[in-house]
Amino acid sequence: MTYWHALLLAIVEGITEFLPVSSTGHMIIASKLLGMEATPFVKLFLVVIQLGAILSVLVVYWKRFFQSIDFYLKLLAAFMPIVVVGLLLKKHIDALLESVTTVAVMLLLGGIVLLFVDKWFPQEEAQAGGHPVTNPSYKEAFIIGLFQCLAVVPGVSRSAATIIGGLTQKLTRKAAAEFAFFLAMPTMAAAAVKDIYDYYKEAHAQGIDLGHLFSSEEIKLLLLGNVVAFVVALLAIRLFVGFVAKYGFRAFGIYRIIVGGLLLLMIGMGLNLQLV
């Protein structure tokens, strides 16, 4: 991996982390198009730089984190399902991280769903019977967490799954999006810690001690990726909330269908550029 690779992947991550288009899916596509080998470090990089992106939530919504303990308990209720699913399916999830075909199919199917989300959950209905702020009940938070579990499949989009889960619980678009942002923090932090631990176990089995787990070059790449992802996500998160509150999700559905369809067409024609 070069610094150029790290910069491009971090920009892709920062733009897509909070959009319902699958940041992991886009980074997998980008890494393949860049001709990058799916080494253990590259796989780790794709997960760890998401920490930089989700830290932007702390900056944008810092006041929310001084709410009552109830706020954190509801996040915990929403977080628990993905912990169980992640632990049970870790090996299968890692295998899917190399499949652009899976990403393409999920982008396409998810795009079709997003075309109809605004009709299924009209804002008038949400505002009348939902929550004016990001404050679901414990039961609703848990159900939203179950929806997030769908995103273990690359290309589904954690943001899309969580937001749709919030809409099913009658949250407004803005409230559903913001709860998805908050839930991303423990989810991605746990994923990063787990991947770093697995990376260490593999290195330790090869006789590499903790002090030499990462080379100085790899540390620089991780720092660059996280800083760039943070700055880009800081801009993207503000734009997304305003856009989705006003226009809904249809545009993202169209985008997903176009990208997913083009990828499947390329793969089917043999113009895969190492995408399979």
Side-chain angles (χ1 to χ4, degrees):
M1 175 183 282
T2 66
Y3 288 106
W4 175 244
H5 291 154
L7 177 64
L8 288 178
L9 289 174
I11 292 174
V12 171
E13 161 60 21
I15 293 173
T16 60
E17 176 59 40
F18 300 109
L19 304 184
V21 297
S22 179
S23 61
T24 300
H26 276 71
M27 285 194 291
I28 292 172
I29 294 168
S31 64
K32 294 290 186 179
L33 289 174
L34 290 170
M36 299 172 63
E37 183 183 353
T39 64
F41 177 74
V42 169
K43 290 181 181 179
L44 180 71
F45 181 88
L46 296 182
V47 174
V48 172
I49 64 168
Q50 295 180 64
L51 287 175
I54 63 175
L55 283 177
S56 63
V57 178
L58 279 175
V59 175
V60 177
Y61 294 101
W62 65 271
K63 291 182 180 179
R64 296 287 186 89
F65 293 90
F66 291 94
Q67 295 180 2
S68 66
I69 191 66
D70 182 70
F71 171 77
Y72 293 96
L73 291 177
K74 288 175 180 177
L75 281 183
L76 179 62
F79 172 61
M80 291 312 297
I82 197 66
V83 173
V84 176
V85 172
L87 291 174
L88 291 176
L89 301 179
K90 180 67 168 64
K91 291 183 179 179
H92 300 287
I93 295 169
D94 286 344
L96 288 174
L97 288 176
E98 298 182 31
S99 173
V100 175
T101 301
T102 300
V103 172
V105 172
M106 291 300 103
L107 282 173
L108 183 61
L109 294 178
I112 294 173
V113 171
L114 287 179
L115 288 181
F116 299 98
V117 163
D118 296 323
K119 291 184 179 180
W120 292 339
F121 309 104
Q123 277 297 276
E124 294 77 11
E125 177 183 321
Q127 291 171 349
H131 303 276
V133 295
T134 309
N135 189 30
S137 67
Y138 288 101
K139 177 183 176 182
E140 291 164 345
F142 181 76
I143 292 174
I144 293 171
L146 292 177
F147 272 84
Q148 180 178 232
C149 294
L150 297 172
V152 298
V153 180
V156 169
S157 171
R158 188 205 57 79
S159 178
T162 310
I163 289 172
I164 291 174
L167 293 175
T168 67
Q169 301 308 299
K170 299 189 182 298
L171 270 69
T172 62
R173 290 174 189 160
K174 184 173 184 292
E178 289 178 346
F179 191 80
F181 301 159
F182 301 143
L183 185 54
M185 300 192 69
T187 301
M188 298 316 305
V193 169
K194 182 65 169 62
D195 275 35
I196 292 173
Y197 175 69
D198 290 341
Y199 189 80
Y200 165 73
K201 281 200 308 181
E202 185 176 335
H204 184 68
Q206 298 173 7
I208 302 173
D209 59 41
L210 184 60
H212 298 87
L213 184 60
F214 299 109
S215 67
S216 59
E217 191 76 1
E218 289 173 337
I219 292 174
K220 292 176 183 177
L221 287 169
L222 288 170
L223 288 174
L224 173 65
N226 275 282
V227 170
V228 172
F230 169 78
V231 173
V232 176
L234 198 61
L235 301 174
I237 195 173
R238 295 177 184 275
L239 293 174
F240 172 64
V241 172
F243 182 90
V244 77
K246 185 175 182 179
Y247 299 107
F249 299 96
R250 184 177 176 82
F252 298 106
I254 294 173
Y255 170 79
R256 289 179 62 125
I257 291 172
I258 292 173
V259 174
L262 285 175
L263 285 172
L264 289 175
L265 182 62
M266 290 171 64
I267 294 171
M269 295 177 63
L271 304 174
N272 53 47
L273 302 177
Q274 300 181 350
L275 289 177
V276 293

